[in-house]
Amino acid sequence: MVTAPGTAYAAENLPPRQPLVQDLQTGTKPCATGEQKAYVGAPPTLSAVLHDPEDDNQPAEANLVKGEFEAWWTDADGVEQRRTYTTNETLSGTRRLWRMPEDIPANTVISWHVRANDGTAVSAWSSEGAGSVCEFVYDDTSPDKPVVTSTDYPEEQIQDGVGVYGSFTMDSPSDDVVEYRYSFIGGPQLTARPDELGGPVTIRHLPLRSGPDYLSVRAIDRAGRSSTTTTYWFRIKSGRAPVAHWTLGDAAGSATAAAEAGPAARAGSGVAFGASAPRGTSLASVADLDGSSHGFLTPDAPAVDIRKTFAVSAWARPAQTDQNMTVASQDAGDSAGFDLGLRTRDDGPVWSFAVGGTRITGGAPETGEWAHLLGLYDAETGQAQLYVNGHEVGTRAEATPAEATGAFQMGRIRKGDGYRDRWHGALGDVRAYDRVVVPAEVTELAHRKPTLLGHWSLENASDGVSPEQSGGTPLTLGPGASIHRGPDGSCLPELDPDCPVVPYALVGDGHLQLDGESGYATTGTAVVDTTDSFTVGVVVRLADSEPDRPMTVLSQAGEHTDAFKVRYDPSVHAWQLVMPQRDEAGAPETVVSQIEAADGGEGTGHRLAVVYDDATDQVKLYLDGNTNADATASLPNGWPSSGALQIGRAKVGDGWGEYLRGDVDELQAYAGALRDRDVIGLGWGTDPCLC
């Protein structure tokens, strides 16, 4: 139909749509009734999404709709009470709200529904037809605080222990509790829900450290109200000692390995005691196994029940990596219940731990290199894990151990009617535990204490030579290098105008000054073994605020290039650690860096440290005790450097260059990788406690 100009447009009004139950909410909870009704901890805001059909208006008109809410309940006298509320008009499709009055009764079932009104017609109530009323209960009472009990860790008593799971039961006297929120010291907040409303909950907890601990718990009821907090204090013992332990440090020629715990182990004729132990450990010597059928040790008895939680660890140094070899296993009939050792693969050898049919692999065994291994099966989680040199490797996995009541084996594994995969190399400090060995303990077991190689305080020099603190190899000062001495206290410039102003030393009473042209200092011989773990630390202050070229503070060279050097590169405003991958001029370099503005001869300088960890194949550069991802890199193989340790210069072509203009102090060198907490102690005039 065509309408003449000026003719009025009319259309039949359609009523609003019935509000849908799924579009209704009591507070933040969906509309529900009966057993599923909502419980709220405060008078709630009721809400509904309301719709008015779009085809009942002219195109330019907006569809406006308001909500008519109604709530009702039966009061204590049995009289029905009703409240109503009508909202303002708003656009169709938006949510309309009714904040319930504060005087609604508590602990009473309150029903409600809603309908839409477009000013001309109203919809059906949301409860009509296929709809439903909504119900809620306003709960104005918080639950009682929970009672905590534990037979494994009684309150205020010292009990086993680190690595031993314990049960804690939480139970509130209130009958409407739906969950408990809890945490232990230093741990995250967790949630546990009872099997039935108001019931107790029992949780399992694995202590990770010894000393006092507490469990902090709150009960939450179905209205979301929280109880006050219950704090349950208990005390944790240190982790239990191994159930079996052989250091393998017995005298040469011995036919048995004495046990620190458990039975002594019988040694085959292919076992030679008295081999060199891993440096930096408490072991004096270890055993060497020749890889033959006689190269084994066994107590002729099981060490652990592998159907329960257990762990086994050892120091291992393979003499070869081209065949499968076993560090430790335990017989299970004509097979093994578990095995820890080395496996060959197409992409190279890996360390391995197997429980039942599950095998976890990781790490990179190297011929002649020590590694600390620990395999763990946690019966609580059902998972097996492998640690190499204190770090978890591979992916922990579900495992199903078989019964293994046969003898514990070192250096071989049971297969069929005999033993296979024999260990060729050294073994030491073999341990078996009947508990979880927690990560901090694994790290400590694998730690190799670094050995101080030299500490040059650079306080003074005599005839161009600055001594090492313990009488070791001194530093020889080249031309352009001198020792600056701080004020001796004989006069005070602020009191005596004729007293010269003498700058303080970086650390202590003196430091090394280098002119940037020819100044350097050197030990004359190599200090650190760059094929093995090492740490070198130094304090340095640049004389210029805008250096015009790279300058090296530390280096140690091979025949053709530096094995490592620490320098400042002004083009990137950063300290850099540069490690060529081969002893060749122009070889590819591993470079890590820390951004820092140049000193300009002011301030107390910066404490730099290089840490190469051969066990993890990582190198790190620390600045003032800190490192980061940009200052860390993978370095699988360090190469040997025979050159002397240099302060203030680096290898450049066939000569020397990158001379440092600035001040240097507190040079310290270690065989071994210092931990983060130890690096912080470098550069203060003392040697850090490597505890």
Side-chain angles (χ1 to χ4, degrees):
M1 178 180 67
V2 178
T3 305
T7 303
Y9 182 92
E12 181 182 356
N13 180 69
L14 298 177
R17 296 173 188 167
Q18 179 184 11
L20 300 176
V21 172
Q22 58 263 38
D23 289 338
L24 312 184
Q25 289 183 337
T26 303
T28 59
K29 298 181 178 181
C31 171
T33 187
E35 294 297 323
Q36 304 303 315
K37 60 182 171 289
Y39 283 81
V40 295
T45 296
L46 311 183
S47 68
V49 178
L50 305 178
H51 295 274
D52 189 33
E54 297 180 0
D55 59 354
D56 66 342
N57 296 303
Q58 295 185 46
E61 291 185 68
N63 291 338
L64 300 177
V65 66
K66 55 188 174 183
E68 296 180 356
F69 288 86
E70 185 176 48
W72 65 94
W73 64 89
T74 301
D75 66 17
D77 297 325
V79 178
E80 183 180 84
Q81 302 291 331
R82 286 186 178 266
R83 300 285 177 87
T84 60
Y85 176 76
T86 300
T87 71
N88 295 327
E89 283 186 327
T90 190
L91 291 174
S92 172
T94 58
R95 184 171 291 276
R96 304 308 295 149
L97 310 176
W98 178 23
R99 175 64 185 267
M100 294 293 289
E102 295 293 329
D103 63 351
I104 62 171
N107 303 312
T108 300
V109 177
I110 299 177
S111 303
W112 68 275
H113 59 190
V114 65
R115 65 183 180 183
N117 186 332
D118 67 2
T120 302
V122 295
S123 72
W125 288 103
S126 58
S127 58
E128 293 184 67
S132 171
V133 298
C134 306
E135 293 181 332
F136 70 89
V137 175
Y138 162 40
D139 183 352
D140 65 348
T141 304
S142 296
D144 295 326
K145 71 177 185 178
V147 175
V148 178
T149 56
S150 175
T151 56
D152 296 318
Y153 292 101
E155 194 166 18
E156 297 294 356
Q157 294 186 29
I158 302 176
Q159 296 291 328
D160 255 356
V162 171
V164 178
Y165 283 93
S167 294
F168 295 82
T169 298
M170 303 172 285
D171 190 8
S172 169
S174 299
D175 61 4
D176 60 348
V177 171
V178 294
E179 67 181 33
Y180 294 91
R181 297 175 186 169
Y182 68 94
S183 63
F184 294 88
I185 291 180
Q189 179 169 285
L190 303 173
T191 298
R193 295 178 174 83
D195 293 333
E196 58 184 28
L197 182 66
V201 166
T202 297
I203 60 169
R204 298 284 281 169
H205 173 62
L206 179 67
L208 300 179
R209 59 175 183 79
S210 60
D213 199 351
Y214 65 72
L215 171 59
S216 176
V217 188
R218 292 183 296 123
I220 309 298
D221 68 15
R222 55 192 167 184
R225 299 182 71 99
S226 173
S227 72
T228 56
T229 299
T230 295
T231 302
Y232 180 91
W233 285 92
F234 57 101
R235 298 176 181 274
I236 305 297
K237 291 181 181 178
S238 296
R240 290 199 301 261
V243 293
H245 182 192
W246 302 272
T247 65
L248 303 185
D250 303 86
S254 176
T256 60
E260 302 291 309
R266 173 171 56 91
S269 59
V271 176
F273 293 103
S276 298
R279 175 184 47 78
T281 68
S282 61
L283 301 173
S285 64
V286 297
D288 195 74
L289 283 63
D290 64 6
S292 73
S293 60
H294 302 289
F296 68 92
L297 300 103
T298 179
D300 294 311
V304 289
D305 183 349
I306 69 169
R307 294 168 300 178
K308 301 177 181 179
T309 296
F310 76 93
V312 60
S313 68
W315 282 100
R317 183 180 64 193
Q320 60 185 98
T321 57
D322 58 354
Q323 66 181 36
N324 295 337
M325 298 195 297
T326 303
V327 170
S329 67
Q330 187 161 296
D331 296 346
D334 59 359
S335 62
F338 79 84
D339 68 87
L340 177 69
L342 182 154
R343 306 286 291 185
T344 59
R345 298 195 310 196
D346 292 341
D347 57 350
V350 290
W351 295 112
S352 166
F353 177 55
V355 178
T358 300
R359 184 174 298 279
I360 301 166
T361 59
E366 295 184 34
T367 299
E369 182 176 299
W370 282 105
H372 185 270
L373 312 177
L374 186 141
L376 168 66
Y377 170 69
D378 185 341
E380 291 274 340
T381 64
Q383 293 187 323
Q385 301 169 244
L386 173 62
Y387 292 86
V388 177
N389 293 319
H391 301 273
E392 187 173 0
V393 298
T395 303
R396 63 181 68 182
E398 297 288 334
T400 304
E403 185 173 356
T405 57
F408 186 82
Q409 305 289 340
M410 289 171 269
R412 63 182 184 178
I413 184 174
R414 184 81 182 185
K415 289 188 177 180
D417 59 355
Y419 290 95
R420 302 287 187 274
D421 299 347
R422 301 175 188 278
W423 183 260
H424 182 201
L427 294 177
D429 201 36
V430 180
R431 303 177 182 223
Y433 296 84
D434 64 349
R435 63 175 179 88
V436 173
V437 181
V438 302
E441 294 177 309
V442 179
T443 299
E444 194 60 34
L445 285 171
H447 179 58
R448 299 175 67 177
K449 184 177 179 180
T451 302
L452 181 65
L453 299 173
H455 182 173
W456 295 269
S457 59
L458 298 167
E459 300 287 304
N460 50 63
S462 178
D463 297 326
V465 175
S466 186
E468 194 276 328
Q469 280 193 355
S470 301
T473 303
L475 282 168
T476 300
L477 277 58
S482 61
I483 297 295
H484 166 79
R485 295 284 296 176
D488 59 11
S490 58
C491 65
L492 299 175
E494 59 269 26
L495 299 179
D496 183 357
D498 295 326
C499 181
V501 177
V502 179
Y504 284 94
L506 287 179
V507 182
D509 296 329
H511 64 236
L512 177 68
Q513 282 187 324
L514 300 173
D515 65 1
E517 297 178 1
S518 60
Y520 71 93
T522 178
T523 56
T525 59
V527 173
V528 296
D529 179 0
T530 51
T531 65
D532 202 354
S533 299
F534 71 87
T535 302
V536 181
V538 71
V539 179
V540 59
R541 178 175 61 196
L542 299 174
D544 302 308
S545 58
E546 296 182 7
D548 59 359
R549 57 184 172 78
M551 295 185 291
T552 293
V553 61
L554 288 176
S555 68
Q556 185 170 298
E559 184 177 352
H560 303 288
T561 188
D562 294 307
F564 77 89
K565 66 179 176 181
V566 180
R567 71 176 187 174
Y568 188 81
D569 186 346
S571 68
V572 292
H573 308 287
W575 287 101
Q576 295 179 330
L577 168 62
V578 181
M579 300 189 75
Q581 297 174 14
R582 297 184 298 275
D583 189 8
E584 299 175 4
E589 296 174 331
T590 297
V591 180
V592 296
S593 61
Q594 292 247 42
I595 295 175
E596 184 67 35
D599 302 283
E602 298 181 350
T604 57
H606 295 287
R607 292 173 291 121
L608 301 175
V610 177
V611 177
Y612 171 51
D613 189 345
D614 191 35
T616 60
D617 292 333
Q618 278 194 329
V619 62
K620 298 180 180 180
L621 174 65
Y622 291 79
L623 175 66
D624 295 326
N626 299 304
T627 189
N628 55 50
D630 292 334
T632 302
S634 174
L635 190 72
N637 294 297
W639 50 267
S641 61
S642 56
L645 184 65
Q646 307 284 336
I647 300 179
R649 65 180 184 176
K651 196 93 167 177
V652 176
D654 295 330
W656 299 99
E658 295 191 1
Y659 283 93
L660 178 77
R661 175 172 152 79
D663 304 320
V664 179
D665 210 348
E666 288 299 312
L667 173 63
Q668 293 164 274
Y670 290 83
L674 267 65
R675 296 170 291 190
D676 289 352
R677 71 190 195 203
D678 300 325
V679 170
I680 294 173
L682 293 175
W684 300 106
T686 59
D687 296 319
C689 174
L690 307 181
C691 305

